[in-house]
């Protein structure tokens, strides 16, 4: 013990070493599409701590966090996988693992990082420590064709689940033995699954279908029942509107026993009873929903929209299923992220080069941060949630 005291004194009081001790629980990442950079931000003080640039194509970037929330893993559209040290404000390691990637997930134990790829179609799994390749899972179907992979999420029992856009399949990959993944395939689940979500309890995997009516649902507690179609008749008699931007299913909201779903090709948010998987209400909104996100306590749902209504945000009360507030944060609202307990929400307005922070009780703006073409906002509290 006596040998530790001089070391602790050195770390705490020496100039230039840990000038300020920080935790990571109130840190986050804001993606700047141009010029391919991120800001590391502090959600308590609502400020930017640093900027890290030269991170490749971030036009559809997403982020997951290590188990200890120290590292952020960024998935770039150019196939880049970048490990960022949030405390040292630097790139810990960066690799190009494919030609075109669309997102990723981190395993239950925090040791594996999986990336879903368009080119070549499949999933690659890496060590979170070294970014060394552990497993390669080509998305082969039919006559040895490769499918684009979408909707990749982590699931309980060291599993990853994803959908094959071109094949119309859902695969469950068991990575308990990382070098020998066991794959369970569910075929003919519907045409063109374009994204998916995992319910917060890790039980249900739900894929949206662009080429078919309804949604594809897999109950992970009873996989032997196969994939079933829910909401198969929704909107079958409605005129389809143009889809300028596909909804993001990981932004679907689950509040109590209700699920709030962005309607594809309609200006509506669908309210579904999770006990019966029946549609109970269609809530008209100002445009085509993109993200439909629940405040952490489930009291309100925040909705943003595709072009040409993407300067707007609307808030739905989950008690009476009515819109209670409309906001205009700025031009091209792309993403929203709640602080861990939901007292604030951060909103990116790409074409105004601003991130706007709102109080979620009063709906008043409380801060603005400059950012270069901001898009995704990701807070480190995601480290402790499944499916994100």
């Amino acid at each position: 013990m006596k040998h530790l005291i001089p070391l602790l004194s050195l770390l705490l009081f020496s100039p230039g070493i840990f000038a300020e001790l920080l935790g990571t629980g109130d840190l986050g990442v804001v993606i700047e599409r141009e010029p391919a950079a991120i800001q590391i931000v502090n959600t308590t003080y609502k400020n930017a701590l640093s900027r890290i640039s030269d991170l490749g194509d971030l036009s559809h970037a997403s982020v997951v966090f290590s188990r200890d929330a120290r590292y952020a893993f960024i998935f770039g559209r150019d196939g880049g996988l970048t490990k960022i040290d949030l405390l040292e404000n630097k790139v810990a390691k960066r690799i190009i693992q494919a030609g075109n990637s669309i997102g990723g997930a981190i395993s239950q134990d925090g040791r594996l990082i999986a990336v879903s790829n368009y080119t070549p179609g499949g999933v690659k799994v890496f060590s979170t420590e070294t970014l060394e390749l552990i497993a390669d899972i080509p998305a082969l179907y039919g006559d040895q064709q490769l499918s684009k992979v979408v909707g990749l999420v982590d699931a309980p029992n060291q599993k990853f689940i994803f959908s094959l856009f071109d094949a119309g399949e859902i695969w469950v990959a068991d990575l308990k033995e990382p070098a020998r993944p066991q794959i369970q395939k569910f075929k003919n689940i519907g045409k063109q699954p374009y994204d998916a979500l995992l319910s917060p309890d890790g039980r249900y995997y739900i894929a949206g279908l662009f080429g078919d009516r309804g949604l594809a649902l897999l109950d992970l507690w009873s996989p032997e029942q196969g994939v079933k179609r829910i909401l198969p008749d929704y909107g079958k008699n409605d005129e389809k509107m143009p889809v300028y931007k596909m909804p993001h299913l990981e932004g679907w909201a689950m509040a109590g026993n209700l699920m709030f779903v962005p309607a594809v090709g309609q200006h509506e948010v669908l309210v579904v009873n999770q006990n019966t998987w029946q549609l109970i209400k269609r809530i008209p909104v100002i445009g085509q929903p993109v993200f439909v996100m629940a405040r952490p306590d489930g009291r309100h749902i925040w909705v943003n929209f595709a072009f040409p209504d993407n300067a707007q945000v609307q808030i739905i009360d989950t008690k009476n299923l009515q819109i209670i507030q409309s906001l205009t944060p700025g031009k091209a609202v792309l993403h929203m992220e709640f602080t861990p307990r939901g007292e604030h929400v951060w909103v990116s307005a790409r074409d105004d080069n601003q991130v706007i922070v709102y109080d979620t009780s009063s709906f008043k703006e409380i801060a603005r941060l400059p950012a270069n073409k901001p898009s995704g906002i990701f807070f480190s509290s995601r480290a402790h949630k499944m499916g994100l």
Side-chain angles (χ1 to χ4, degrees), residues 169-190:
E169 299 179 7
I170 292 173
W171 290 12
V172 178
D174 186 326
L175 271 293
K176 292 187 186 72
E177 296 184 52
R180 293 184 292 276
Q182 303 298 310
I183 311 297
Q184 186 176 14
K185 301 178 182 180
F186 299 86
K187 300 184 177 183
N188 302 314
I189 60 105

Side-chain angles (χ1 to χ4, degrees), residues 8 51 73 242 334 347:
L8 290 172
R51 175 180 281 108
F73 296 87
L334 294 190
V347 179

Side-chain angles (χ1 to χ4, degrees), residues 193-214:
Y194 64 88
D195 200 359
L197 67 79
L198 186 76
S199 61
D201 60 4
R203 177 172 181 175
Y204 298 107
Y205 179 85
I206 304 171
L209 303 173
F210 187 65
D212 266 331
R213 295 286 182 189

Side-chain angles (χ1 to χ4, degrees), residues 268-338:
E268 294 177 336
V269 171
L270 312 181
V271 186
V272 179
N273 185 318
Q274 290 187 67
N275 297 324
T276 63
W277 301 109
Q278 298 298 310
L279 178 67
I280 63 174
K281 186 166 184 178
R282 299 161 64 161
I283 302 176
V285 289
I286 197 170
Q288 166 70 60
V290 176
F291 283 100
V292 177
M293 303 184 71
R295 201 171 73 179
D297 63 357
R299 187 66 175 85
H300 293 151
I301 306 298
W302 287 58
V303 186
N304 75 323
F305 304 97
F307 177 86
D309 303 297
N310 57 355
Q312 309 294 317
V313 170
Q314 292 189 308
I315 296 103
I316 297 170
D317 188 307
T318 60
K319 183 178 178 181
N320 58 28
L321 304 182
Q322 301 284 341
I323 292 173
I324 59 169
Q325 186 75 33
S326 295
L327 303 171
T328 307
K331 298 176 183 176
V333 172
L334 294 190
H335 199 247
M336 302 172 291
E337 182 83 339
F338 290 95

Side-chain angles (χ1 to χ4, degrees), residues 117-196:
N117 292 318
Y118 274 9
T119 308
V123 170
K124 289 185 178 180
V125 182
F126 300 88
S127 161
T128 53
E129 183 69 26
T130 64
L131 298 192
E132 174 190 1
L133 181 65
I134 302 295
D136 190 350
I137 307 171
L140 289 168
Y141 73 103
D143 188 21
Q144 295 297 294
Q145 297 170 280
L146 283 172
S147 173
K148 300 181 183 71
V149 170
V150 298
L152 171 64
V153 300
D154 61 287
N157 300 317
Q158 203 69 355
K159 293 178 180 178
F160 293 108
I161 310 175
F162 49 93
S163 297
L164 277 58
F165 176 84
D166 304 290
E169 299 179 7
I170 292 173
W171 290 12
V172 178
D174 186 326
L175 271 293
K176 292 187 186 72
E177 296 184 52
R180 293 184 292 276
Q182 303 298 310
I183 311 297
Q184 186 176 14
K185 301 178 182 180
F186 299 86
K187 300 184 177 183
N188 302 314
I189 60 105
K191 295 179 181 177
Q192 297 177 324
Y194 64 88
D195 200 359

